[in-house]
Amino acid sequence: RNFLFAIVVIMAGVIIALSAMREPQRIPFLVTTRGVALGRQFVPYKELRSFWILYEPPHLKNLYVDFRSSVTPHLVIPLEEQDPVELRRALLEFISEDETQEDESLTELLGRFLKL
């Protein structure tokens, strides 16, 4: 019986549907000797805590980067055709690998499942 709430729910559904239909933006990722570049943003290694790679082709090929700041969530970067061994070797020169991370989070797993 709440007309305004019904309109808000319909608008939210339309917005979610439109964003789901849109292709994700491709942002170039580059590992350098000073840090990592994400598109136009540069993150020096001193701001990064660790990284880990989950590689189970063909479905799971991601690099995870954890920041030192507790308010910044970890970053998930799809590897696509990048060689994970070469990337791991390059990153180990500058930051540590978090070997305790073995599985993707539940939200990432659900997101991947729903995209299929």
Side-chain angles (χ1 to χ4, degrees):
R1 293 185 176 211
N2 190 341
F3 181 72
L4 184 59
F5 182 69
I7 289 182
V8 169
V9 169
I10 291 171
M11 287 176 48
V14 168
I15 290 171
I16 290 171
L18 288 175
S19 65
M21 291 175 14
R22 188 175 52 164
E23 284 291 318
Q25 182 182 3
R26 296 180 66 85
I27 299 174
F29 176 77
L30 180 65
V31 175
T32 70
T33 56
R34 297 180 332 164
V36 293
L38 304 162
R40 294 182 179 184
Q41 182 181 9
F42 182 78
V43 182
Y45 287 119
K46 66 181 181 182
E47 294 181 18
L48 301 177
R49 176 179 294 133
S50 62
F51 77 95
W52 64 96
I53 296 174
L54 296 181
Y55 192 76
E56 298 173 15
H59 300 293
L60 181 60
K61 299 187 283 188
N62 291 335
L63 165 67
Y64 296 82
V65 180
D66 194 20
F67 292 87
R68 292 194 185 276
S69 170
S70 60
V71 296
T72 307
H74 65 261
L75 180 65
V76 181
I77 303 163
L79 291 180
E80 296 180 352
E81 301 303 319
Q82 178 66 37
D83 180 7
V85 175
E86 180 183 329
L87 179 62
R88 179 179 179 270
R89 190 176 308 131
L91 286 172
L92 277 174
E93 294 183 33
F94 306 105
I95 57 176
S96 64
E97 181 177 21
D98 185 353
E99 296 177 3
T100 63
Q101 303 288 342
E102 297 178 357
D103 296 320
E104 60 186 330
S105 70
L106 180 60
T107 55
E108 293 165 355
L109 183 66
L110 285 173
R112 187 165 52 92
F113 177 73
L114 294 174
K115 286 182 183 177
L116 294 177

